[in-house]
Amino acid sequence: MALVTIDNVDMRYGGPTGTLAVSGLNLRIERGEFVAVVGPSGCGKSTLMKLTTGLHIPQAGTVIVADQEVTKPVSIVGMAFQNPTMLPWRTTLENILLPLEIVERHRHRLRAHKAEYVAKAEALLETVGLKGFGDKFPWQLSGGMQQRANLCRALIHEPELLMLDEPFGALDAFTREELWCVIRDLHASQDVTIVLVTHDLRESVFLADKVVVMSARPGRVISEHMVPFERPRQLEILYEPAFNDMVQRLHGEIATARAAA
Amino acid sequence: MSNIETVTPQVALPQREPFRINWIRLAPLLYTIGLFVIWEIGVRISGLPHTILPTPSRIFEAIVQYWSPIWKNSLQTLYTTVLGFIIAVVAGLGIGLFIGWSKTIYAGLYPIMIGFNAIPKVALVPILVIWFGIGTVPAVLTAFLISFFPIVVNVATGLATIEPETEDVLRALGAKKLDIMLKVGIPRSMPYFFGSLKVAITLAFVGSVVSETVASNNGLGNMMASAQSNFNVPLVFAGLLMLAVEGIAMYALMAWLEKRMTGWAHRSTMSN
Ligand SMILES: Nc1ncnc2c1ncn2[C@@H]1O[C@H](COP(=O)(O)OP(=O)(O)OP(=O)(O)O)[C@@H](O)[C@H]1O
Ligand SMILES: [Mg+2]
């Protein structure tokens, strides 16, 4: 049984006459899979994320996550958006520990096992190259650093499903590639399912097992591409002809989807 | 208002060059002295009688002469004001959180609050007198009624403007409404809350003095009203001066509190 099954879903914002964001959306995500979602701007990618996490309930169709129909927010996910949304009155470390104060499984253990959790948060900070920045406030960090901390926050409670909505959009090329590797290693070392929304087609091909292309609004899935490259993938793959061919094909598809709108 | 703000005590100003006079720090004092000097000279040259506009020196004389009643009434006014203000803080925080809690409550109560705020509070004093008699109680209640509105509005605004993404991140973790309020809403509305205290304390003085003037045998409002009926104009001005001093002191206290409690809000907006 797939971890996520989206079956013929319609989602309209703002009542019966509002914007139809997605229509006839079908998608299956297997456990442990890394799925990248690409498509024209405004096609409903963020909406897809919100439907999967139960932040929005569709008007038609069903969303099933972990064998249960989604009728309220599901609590097995970690989310990170393009905008880091760090709380400015908390230090970076306290921000990262925030999910533990919420998630049912951890909140009762937090006080007694504080040191253990702090150690874990610090280990995560080290993975993303933020060692020693835990006691800084978010506004003392650069945008890229905040985004890395944001990633740590999405991971601290070991979610089964990690939803990343353009998390690297605002970063420079080098930082972005560095974080690609962080995510790649995370996916390789842990039993986590990842859905990544992105505008960067190279990012999607480099990271994902499956790239899902969406049509212009109202969004639906127009094609799915399995990525044939062996894992573990190194950054050098970005310069191989086969890689670039695939990126180019995706690019062509999205351009057509945009023109069709 | 704006020159009162500069009176705010600058708690931790680094003194790098001890031999240079810090004109910015001295400015409030110099300007105040300047105002009094111009006033003194102006009145003397124009020859206005002190029953119309007394000179500052005449007012200080009155303060010394009537120190005992002035002191007693100043304390009374400070007491009614602060008491009303404290009730306003507690009630304002409570109602603000309640209103900010849900969109429905916000929509339903907001117009009522606006309507209530539009009523001149001085018009309520007679009603309060019917209910509680004259004296301390109506003064406290008027101070409360006039000062709690800005607190409510600010707290509710702080809650109502939580970034949707932040809320989504938490809800996706299974956060209940209460979690979101405790972890995000309340800390987030604190800068709004502490900011509103400066406005509220100033209004509280207006409320208590208005009420004392029409319905009390105590307080600076009453003292000024009776001094006025005795044509003791310097004493009226002495009362005004005491009110100004109390107002500045409380305002400075609130500004200091704001800085202490929500320093992150100032620094984080500065860095963005
Ligand atoms: N809260 C909302 N209220 C009303 N309409 C919305 C809302 N959120 C999204 N929409 C509409 O739904 C459509 C899909 O939005 P969505 O945010 O899912 O797009 P997206 O694919 O994530 O776009 P982008 O790539 O630019 O982030 C858009 O046309 C948008 O106008
Ligand atoms: Mg989006």
Side-chain angles (χ1 to χ4, degrees):
Chain A
M1 187 72 191
L3 180 63
V4 178
T5 309
I6 296 174
D7 190 23
N8 220 2
V9 159
D10 288 2
M11 173 72 206
R12 194 187 281 279
Y13 286 104
T17 54
T19 320
L20 187 59
V22 299
S23 175
L25 186 66
N26 286 293
L27 184 64
R28 281 167 67 87
I29 299 168
E30 302 297 331
R31 259 177 221 281
E33 203 174 17
F34 196 136
V35 174
V37 180
V38 298
S41 178
C43 73
K45 300 184 293 297
S46 300
T47 306
L48 165 68
M49 302 297 253
K50 288 179 181 165
L51 287 167
T52 312
T53 48
L55 292 172
H56 291 321
I57 307 300
Q59 280 88 18
T62 50
V63 178
I64 296 170
V65 175
D67 305 329
Q68 283 195 321
E69 182 166 352
V70 173
T71 51
K72 61 175 174 45
V74 292
S75 54
I76 58 160
V77 289
M79 278 187 113
F81 295 103
Q82 177 168 9
N83 169 1
T85 65
M86 295 270 128
L87 306 178
W89 56 89
R90 287 174 165 241
T91 63
T92 305
L93 189 75
E94 289 167 342
N95 264 292
I96 294 172
L97 294 176
L98 179 67
L100 303 175
E101 297 168 25
I102 308 282
V103 173
E104 208 51 53
R105 191 153 42 93
H106 295 286
R107 64 192 302 170
H108 307 294
R109 296 186 71 233
L110 183 60
R111 192 163 301 201
H113 299 78
K114 187 81 186 239
E116 178 191 317
Y117 284 118
V118 168
K120 192 167 152 196
E122 271 162 359
L124 274 174
L125 278 171
E126 194 172 349
T127 340
V128 299
L130 280 184
K131 190 172 159 57
F133 283 94
D135 53 0
K136 293 270 186 296
F137 284 92
W139 36 269
Q140 293 172 314
L141 305 183
S142 74
M145 291 159 94
Q146 286 187 40
Q147 196 49 267
R148 295 165 201 226
N150 192 22
L151 212 53
C152 294
R153 185 178 62 182
L155 292 169
I156 186 79
H157 58 294
E158 296 177 355
E160 281 178 59
L161 180 60
L162 184 58
M163 310 290 283
L164 305 173
D165 194 346
E166 297 178 42
F168 312 130
L171 303 182
D172 68 282
F174 292 101
T175 311
R176 201 181 310 166
E177 288 179 7
E178 210 177 298
L179 288 178
W180 289 355
C181 294
V182 170
I183 292 286
R184 174 198 63 192
D185 297 343
L186 181 98
H187 181 245
S189 64
Q190 284 183 22
D191 195 16
V192 61
T193 309
I194 304 183
V195 183
L196 168 74
V197 166
T198 179
H199 283 289
D200 185 340
L201 300 176
R202 294 163 72 240
E203 177 174 304
S204 71
V205 176
F206 178 70
L207 285 171
D209 299 316
K210 181 165 85 182
V211 179
V212 173
V213 183
M214 286 179 71
S215 70
R217 189 174 63 85
R220 63 193 164 74
V221 175
I222 45 178
S223 67
E224 295 185 6
H225 302 264
M226 299 309 290
V227 180
F229 307 113
E230 283 290 307
R231 286 181 188 277
R233 297 172 193 158
Q234 304 304 326
L235 284 172
E236 286 72 53
I237 193 184
L238 296 175
Y239 307 103
E240 283 177 15
F243 184 93
N244 283 313
D245 283 348
M246 180 152 187
V247 170
Q248 209 155 29
R249 243 180 309 134
L250 287 171
H251 189 275
E253 253 180 63
I254 295 172
T256 319
R258 282 191 55 179
Chain B
M1 247 329 127
S2 62
N3 75 328
I4 292 177
E5 193 147 334
T6 58
V7 183
T8 316
Q10 310 256 301
V11 234
L13 210 86
Q15 289 276 324
R16 266 165 313 199
E17 296 163 72
F19 297 109
R20 274 192 51 187
I21 300 171
N22 186 340
W23 289 107
I24 297 196
R25 277 192 79 177
L26 276 179
L29 187 64
L30 295 179
Y31 276 68
T32 311
I33 294 173
L35 176 72
F36 281 126
V37 169
I38 292 170
W39 180 354
E40 181 84 34
I41 294 171
V43 173
R44 278 173 192 253
I45 289 176
S46 65
L48 281 173
H50 61 68
T51 45
I52 306 279
L53 182 64
T55 58
S57 56
R58 184 77 188 78
I59 296 169
F60 286 117
E61 221 171 89
I63 291 180
V64 174
Q65 187 183 348
Y66 301 102
W67 179 246
S68 152
I70 288 177
W71 177 243
K72 193 182 104 246
N73 289 312
S74 296
L75 284 185
Q76 167 70 17
T77 298
L78 191 63
Y79 165 71
T80 53
T81 306
V82 170
L83 195 59
F85 173 72
I86 290 173
I87 300 174
V89 168
V90 174
L93 207 50
I95 297 175
L97 293 177
F98 181 70
I99 291 185
W101 191 266
S102 92
K103 292 241 163 8
T104 326
I105 302 176
Y106 191 84
L109 279 184
Y110 208 79
I112 300 178
M113 301 285 303
I114 298 281
F116 174 78
N117 191 47
I119 300 171
K121 299 303 171 299
V122 63
L124 293 179
V125 177
I127 300 172
L128 294 175
V129 171
I130 294 172
W131 289 347
F132 302 104
I134 65 164
T136 306
V137 181
V140 170
L141 288 179
T142 316
F144 155 66
L145 288 174
I146 205 169
S147 64
F148 94 113
F149 188 76
I151 301 178
V152 170
V153 171
N154 276 281
V155 172
T157 307
L159 291 183
T161 52
I162 299 177
E163 294 82 358
E165 279 114 338
T166 312
E167 213 174 326
D168 283 350
V169 168
L170 295 183
R171 281 177 55 214
L173 295 166
K176 305 274 174 297
K177 186 87 186 172
L178 183 66
D179 291 321
I180 295 175
M181 283 298 161
L182 288 177
K183 303 291 178 198
V184 183
I186 293 175
R188 191 176 186 292
S189 64
M190 284 302 109
Y192 296 86
F193 168 69
F194 283 105
S196 73
L197 294 188
K198 293 188 292 191
V199 181
I201 189 69
T202 318
L203 287 174
F205 274 107
V206 174
S208 58
V209 172
V210 159
S211 176
E212 283 170 358
T213 306
V214 298
S216 182
N217 297 321
N218 280 312
L220 285 174
N222 169 257
M223 184 191 88
M224 282 153 59
S226 49
Q228 176 249 336
S229 60
N230 296 329
F231 300 104
N232 190 347
V233 180
L235 184 55
V236 175
F237 275 84
L240 287 177
L241 204 61
M242 291 310 288
L243 273 176
V245 169
E246 288 186 353
I248 291 173
M250 292 308 289
Y251 184 95
L253 182 64
M254 294 308 137
W256 175 79
L257 206 61
E258 182 188 12
K259 229 174 170 165
R260 265 309 290 277
M261 303 303 289
T262 57
W264 59 265
H266 299 281
R267 277 168 299 178
S268 62
T269 45
M270 263 159 63
S271 70
N272 281 341

